[in-house]
Amino acid sequence: MDTAPQKDLSRFCIHTMTHRQWTLEECARNYAACGAKGITVWRSTLAGLGAAAAGRLVRDLGLSVTSLCRGGFFVADSPLRRKEALDENRRCIDEAAAIGAPHIVLVCGAVPGVGLSEARLQIAEALAAILPHAESSGVRLAVEPLHPMYAGDRSAVNTLGQARAICAEVGSPFVGVALDVYHTWWDERLEREVGECGREGRLFAFHISDWLTPTVDLLEDRGLMGEGCIPIRTIRGWADAAGFGGMIEVEIFSRRLWAADPHEYLERIRSAYLAHA
Ligand code: ZN
């Protein structure tokens, strides 16, 4: 297992939602200036700019687009809504191709009234349905397991094992996983599952933040690396040992940190990345 610290910033990537108050251009300029090499783009930041122009802007600053976030929300209680979700995901794939993102991250969906088993079936069917468009566009699909606290309304995929099972069912090299330590750190099978994902070539993305105790908001109270209880470097070591060499994406949704001075916060992110990633 490789748990050596990050000695440089060659894999340093930040998700635009980490600075929710900044435009995509502000994120890209400030992230590049602080040494990041990659940027993960939240779709809403493309408004008014367009994906192709956004891709040029980001690359001109020396950054690569690591991921486009996010697609998914496949689960619904009516055929019409399920079809609308497929159409929306095809548009997301088009944007990823235009911006130059190798994959889209998928929050797969869950809806009260649709059981988890049925929801997982719907997710696998939806992935199979959009797969031809993803393949012809050269854009991969990264299923992100979400912490079980979201199983009621955001995602019926809650462990890396479930994500791997869905990937195996769809059976394409274009379908893999986005591993987010915030969602998966508690899972006793995580080390084994990360290893399997790596061996199967399904580890597409790696997201970091930290788990605070107490957590005061289910969505917007993530911690800066080192503030919480996630063994981030250990998990990153498992991923690297399984062959993952991609960007390490800082993805922090936090009302507390959004309220801080954004430039000071960015400096803290870089320090925390070097100390804990
Ligand atoms: Zn994530």
Side-chain angles (χ1 to χ4, degrees):
M1 187 202 312
D2 173 16
T3 53
Q6 292 299 310
K7 297 185 184 64
D8 60 51
L9 300 171
S10 63
R11 299 171 68 188
F12 184 33
C13 170
I14 309 175
H15 190 305
T16 56
M17 193 55 99
T18 299
H19 283 86
R20 183 170 68 169
Q21 66 272 56
W22 281 347
T23 65
L24 176 59
E25 180 169 357
E26 288 171 327
C27 285
R29 288 193 186 287
N30 289 307
Y31 294 170
C34 94
K37 300 296 182 281
I39 186 169
T40 295
V41 175
W42 194 260
R43 284 180 80 194
S44 63
T45 65
L46 298 174
L49 187 59
R56 286 192 293 275
L57 169 79
V58 164
R59 282 188 294 279
D60 286 349
L61 289 163
L63 297 170
S64 63
V65 179
T66 306
S67 309
L68 183 67
C69 288
R70 62 191 181 184
F73 293 98
F74 299 117
V75 180
D77 56 6
S78 82
L80 176 63
R81 288 204 191 91
R82 289 177 65 187
K83 183 187 173 303
E84 286 171 350
L86 299 181
D87 294 340
E88 183 59 31
N89 277 276
R90 291 187 185 102
R91 284 192 286 276
C92 184
I93 289 167
D94 291 340
E95 288 178 2
I99 200 173
H103 57 252
I104 59 173
V105 173
L106 300 171
V107 171
C108 288
V111 172
V114 177
L116 289 176
S117 302
E118 165 65 18
R120 289 171 194 142
L121 283 176
Q122 290 190 11
I123 290 164
E125 283 180 16
L127 289 168
I130 63 171
L131 181 61
H133 191 63
E135 288 175 339
S136 64
S137 306
V139 173
R140 301 192 296 179
L141 307 172
V143 173
E144 179 169 38
L146 258 54
H147 191 282
M149 68 181 170
Y150 301 117
D153 59 359
R154 298 185 98 73
S155 184
V157 182
N158 307 110
T159 66
L160 199 52
Q162 288 166 354
R164 275 184 60 232
I166 287 172
C167 290
E169 202 172 325
V170 182
S172 163
F174 272 74
V175 181
V177 302
L179 172 61
D180 188 325
V181 300
Y182 189 76
H183 295 299
T184 58
W185 67 279
W186 54 273
D187 185 348
E188 65 182 359
R189 294 157 302 175
L190 188 61
E191 180 176 9
R192 191 187 72 199
E193 291 291 340
V194 169
E196 291 296 325
C197 269
R199 277 186 281 283
E200 294 168 357
R202 298 208 192 277
L203 209 43
F204 292 176
F206 190 78
H207 301 171
I208 61 171
S209 62
D210 216 335
W211 183 278
L212 301 178
T213 47
T215 291
V216 299
D217 186 281
L218 297 188
L219 282 176
E220 299 180 343
D221 190 32
R222 298 190 188 190
L224 186 64
M225 297 78 73
E227 288 185 325
C229 54
I230 301 179
I232 296 168
R233 183 168 295 159
T234 298
I235 301 172
R236 197 264 301 161
W238 297 340
D240 285 358
F244 180 73
M247 288 285 175
I248 300 166
E249 304 171 49
V250 177
E251 181 189 57
I252 304 171
F253 305 162
S254 166
R255 263 181 257 170
R256 170 182 59 97
L257 294 165
W258 286 325
D261 176 88
H263 294 280
E264 281 176 25
Y265 174 37
L266 183 54
E267 281 304 313
R268 289 178 64 200
I269 289 171
R270 178 168 62 174
S271 300
Y273 173 86
L274 289 168
H276 301 286

